[in-house]
Amino acid sequence: MTRIFGLAGSLRRASFNAGLLRAAAELAPAGVEVEVHSIAGVPIYDGDLEAETGLPEAVVRLQEGLAAADALLLVTPEYNNGIPGAFKNTIDWMSRPPAGRTLFRGKPVAIIGASPGNFGTTLAQTHWLPVIRTLGMEPWFEGRLMVSRAGELFDHGGTLTDEATRARLAEFLAGFARFLGRPRD
């Protein structure tokens, strides 16, 4: 079984991106499990807090989940044409020692996202690239999924109800799974 650690970058209860991640878990191809994780409970990074008490429990749980996974799926909102601060903050915490950066190094990663705007999460997905490069991950660029006008595609509870988008998501996941099945150096 291939395990993909899915992390949605929004704290809203009816988040489009949390809903997109839940849909990914439902639509994963045979032999692939997409695990649903959240950034909830991760405090703002504070080096003094880290020095005094170590890593917060929420961060340790995320690190453990990522360590056990074969790949990472970032499900990103886009705020003010970039990465949401809370999402980036979570990755910053996760990259802290002792495990930190070694969890990310060489880890295959894909990015998807949903937005109520017309351009999906194009800029946020691009904004993640320097972070991915710095952490030494292996990005998958053969597929792209940016869900635009999400308010028309999700119900009030944040569930993806649009069948065309669900089909696009399933196709994206199948492509990512094929990438994960390839031999690596």
Side-chain angles (χ1 to χ4, degrees):
M1 177 69 70
T2 299
R3 294 176 63 193
I4 298 174
F5 180 92
L7 188 60
S10 176
L11 294 167
R12 287 181 44 241
R13 282 186 299 274
S15 161
F16 299 135
N17 288 283
L20 189 60
L21 178 54
R22 287 190 308 274
E26 294 169 13
L27 298 168
V32 175
E33 177 185 6
V34 175
E35 301 171 348
V36 175
H37 295 275
S38 169
I39 65 172
V42 177
I44 299 291
Y45 179 75
D46 178 342
D48 292 336
L49 173 68
E50 181 183 16
E52 292 169 13
T53 62
L55 296 176
E57 183 58 35
V59 173
V60 172
R61 281 193 309 271
L62 291 172
Q63 285 184 332
E64 290 171 352
L66 183 60
D70 301 300
L72 172 61
L73 178 64
L74 296 172
V75 188
T76 189
E78 180 172 301
Y79 299 159
N80 297 316
N81 292 338
I83 300 171
F87 200 7
K88 172 69 166 58
N89 175 71
T90 298
I91 298 299
D92 291 342
W93 264 116
M94 289 176 68
S95 71
R96 300 299 300 153
R101 289 182 179 230
T102 60
L103 297 173
F104 293 97
R105 193 168 298 119
K107 184 82 66 177
V109 61
I111 309 169
I112 61 176
S115 168
N118 292 330
F119 300 106
T121 54
T122 303
L123 296 173
Q125 289 189 33
T126 301
H127 199 185
W128 275 109
L129 297 180
V131 176
I132 288 169
R133 184 180 308 112
T134 297
L135 293 175
M137 291 186 267
E138 184 181 353
W140 180 59
F141 290 128
E142 294 172 34
R144 242 176 141 182
L145 184 65
M146 294 162 291
V147 179
S148 304
R149 299 180 183 230
E152 301 169 11
L153 309 174
F154 291 78
D155 67 17
H156 292 294
T159 298
L160 179 60
T161 57
D162 182 71
E163 289 305 320
T165 304
R166 291 176 68 82
R168 288 178 41 226
L169 177 57
E171 182 180 326
F172 178 92
L173 293 167
F176 190 37
R178 284 190 298 275
F179 172 73
L180 296 176
R182 293 180 192 162
R184 294 197 158 55
D185 293 338

